[in-house]
Amino acid sequence: SELYHAQIHLYKHVYNFVSSMALKSAMELGIADAIHNHGKPMTLPELSSSLKLHPSKVNILYRFLRLLTHNGFFAKTTVKSNEGEEETAYVLTPSSKLLVSGKSTCLSSLVKGALHPSSLDMWGVSKKWFHEDKEQTLFECATGENYWDFLNKDSDSLSMFQDAMAADSRLFKLAIQENKHVFEGLESLVDVAGGTGGVAKLIHEAFPHIKCTVFDQPQVVGNLTGNENLNFVGGDMFKSVPSADAVLLKWVLHDWNDELSLKILKNSKEAISHKGKDGKVIIIDISIDENSDDRGLTELQLEYDVVMLTMFLGKERTKKEWEKLIYDAGFSRYKITPICGFKSLIEVYP
Ligand SMILES: OCc1ccc2c(c1)OC[C@]1(O)c3cc4c(cc3O[C@H]21)OCO4
């Protein structure tokens, strides 16, 4: 009946957080690493002892694994025990392979950061946030400070955040390999808000002749040293951007509203102005396709939009919104290419 399905729909959304927290627990316990290192399907007792859990926790581990297996993070098979009996054993799936540490595809630090209390606790004041007249993020409403100020004053949170960004950047390696043409012909590139240089290092590896500059706030790049073709420059992207043949803006503009994004794009346009028509700005961000029939992808993109809104007063943009922003910044042409996962690569030309 309609009432039955409406209840399932509502209750499922109430308890989605349990699936998020079960995933977080799997990451914290290192379940994916244990199964990966076991080298073959792993039974529950083998997994429990590998995780050094107290025997009383074996059934708790089973209940978490049952939910995570149902959600596609593990799969069940059977193995023969020494006595020749069939035993249930667990194997990794493509999703839990993203939790195997040490691999370039490991996203554990993103799971840790995105599900850290500093990202969740703010939701306790959402009603107050909706009813106040101040324009501030939910994070500021809850903590009294801007998220970036919070990161810059708490080195553990800053390194947790940077580890998360670096994890996502490592996956960007696949995008670079699939889109070499975007970087060919460039002699220099400045990675704006490039943090600790994760992306610049990937570009430098793939294109050693490109002179890469990582540009971020002084307290982020201050004590970082590069090499002959990879250097770090401190500054304020809202004032000016160091000049180069190309400016890279990966996961930056979605942190900022249109007015501030326009400022960053105009400064980026200035930075490539010496290259005339050959200069370009490369934006890596979500481009929401409202006509997409991939409801799961759109749900993730709209969830990211609310995360950016509540933490940065930022936004994820639709294709039309990107077009308006790009033209308002004075650029003449752009090209959007979907890249690995849920983001797009937008080449913008003066
Ligand atoms: O554009 C930058 C950018 C890109 C992604 C994310 C950002 C900001 O903040 C929200 C987020 O969900 C988040 C919050 C975090 C974190 C990672 C993390 O990933 C997500 O580590 C600590 O807190």
Side-chain angles (χ1 to χ4, degrees):
S1 74
E2 189 182 81
L3 177 63
Y4 168 77
H5 287 103
Q7 282 186 83
I8 299 268
H9 183 243
L10 180 128
Y11 275 100
K12 196 186 169 320
H13 277 76
V14 169
Y15 295 106
N16 272 346
F17 76 93
V18 174
S19 288
S20 297
M21 292 305 134
L23 172 62
K24 183 182 172 187
S25 300
M27 178 275 294
E28 289 171 335
L29 289 170
I31 295 178
D33 282 338
I35 295 175
H36 173 75
N37 297 333
H38 192 64
K40 57 184 192 311
M42 200 170 198
T43 63
L44 187 67
E46 287 169 334
L47 178 58
S48 177
S49 61
S50 157
L51 299 177
K52 298 185 179 44
L53 298 186
H54 187 271
S56 66
K57 296 288 184 205
V58 175
N59 191 42
I60 288 175
L61 179 63
Y62 165 70
R63 303 270 285 280
F64 270 73
L65 281 173
R66 183 171 62 170
L67 173 60
L68 287 161
T69 300
H70 180 79
N71 286 348
F73 285 95
F74 299 103
K76 280 198 293 194
T77 181
T78 55
V79 291
K80 277 244 186 305
S81 71
N82 304 341
E83 300 71 42
E85 268 132 55
E86 298 260 297
E87 269 195 280
T88 301
Y90 295 92
V91 294
L92 299 182
T93 61
S95 307
S96 47
K97 282 176 183 162
L98 294 174
L99 298 176
V100 175
S101 50
K103 292 186 169 228
S104 66
T105 51
C106 183
L107 288 176
S108 294
S109 53
L110 193 121
V111 174
K112 179 175 184 228
L115 292 176
H116 186 266
S118 59
S119 299
L120 307 179
D121 291 350
M122 62 190 178
W123 285 96
V125 299
S126 57
K127 185 177 178 188
K128 171 174 170 256
W129 178 55
F130 266 104
H131 287 96
E132 63 182 14
D133 58 357
K134 281 175 77 176
E135 189 190 8
Q136 65 175 350
T137 61
L138 177 59
F139 184 87
E140 280 167 295
C141 181
T143 64
E145 61 181 345
N146 167 299
Y147 188 74
W148 300 114
D149 296 337
F150 158 70
L151 282 188
N152 285 327
K153 82 171 182 29
D154 176 338
S155 60
D156 290 348
S157 299
L158 180 60
S159 50
M160 178 173 66
F161 182 84
Q162 287 173 338
D163 290 349
M165 295 305 106
D168 181 77
S169 296
R170 283 192 292 274
L171 269 174
F172 181 58
K173 187 173 186 173
L174 309 178
I176 295 174
Q177 283 156 0
E178 286 158 12
N179 294 281
K180 282 186 182 296
H181 62 281
V182 171
F183 300 92
E184 251 131 32
L186 297 177
E187 286 168 14
S188 60
L189 174 139
V190 57
D191 182 7
V192 172
T196 51
V199 170
K201 283 179 190 120
L202 291 174
I203 293 173
H204 182 54
E205 276 162 24
F207 305 93
H209 60 280
I210 297 182
K211 192 172 168 14
C212 288
T213 299
V214 177
F215 180 64
D216 208 313
Q217 299 174 71
Q219 68 269 28
V220 172
V221 294
N223 53 6
L224 296 176
T225 52
N227 58 40
E228 78 292 339
N229 253 2
L230 176 65
N231 60 355
F232 292 86
V233 170
D236 177 351
M237 66 184 173
F238 293 107
K239 289 199 169 60
S240 76
V241 168
S243 72
D245 292 355
V247 169
L248 177 63
L249 290 165
K250 178 179 177 296
W251 248 5
V252 176
L253 296 178
H254 75 160
D255 292 343
W256 308 100
N257 63 26
D258 290 348
E259 181 201 346
L260 293 169
S261 295
L262 214 45
K263 194 100 200 68
I264 297 168
L265 279 173
K266 284 178 175 171
N267 290 340
S268 301
K269 189 165 182 287
E270 183 54 36
I272 62 171
S273 56
H274 67 286
K275 283 298 281 184
K277 285 293 169 205
D278 295 338
K280 72 167 91 169
V281 171
I282 303 161
I283 298 168
I284 307 287
D285 241 324
I286 285 175
S287 174
I288 299 173
D289 173 0
E290 298 185 292
N291 308 321
S292 165
D293 54 9
D294 182 342
R295 293 187 60 80
L297 170 64
T298 301
E299 180 182 4
L300 170 61
Q301 294 181 335
L302 296 178
E303 284 169 340
Y304 248 101
D305 178 61
V306 172
V307 168
M308 291 302 123
L309 166 67
T310 53
M311 293 181 77
F312 307 103
L313 281 183
K315 61 195 284 190
E316 299 304 346
R317 293 177 168 92
T318 62
K319 188 169 174 298
K320 280 199 297 293
E321 288 171 318
W322 280 118
E323 176 165 322
K324 178 171 180 356
L325 189 68
I326 287 164
Y327 290 158
D328 286 356
F331 292 94
S332 65
R333 200 164 54 86
Y334 70 94
K335 181 167 165 260
I336 298 187
T337 313
I339 57 173
C340 64
F342 56 100
K343 296 191 273 293
S344 290
L345 186 152
I346 309 172
E347 289 172 274
V348 185
Y349 306 98

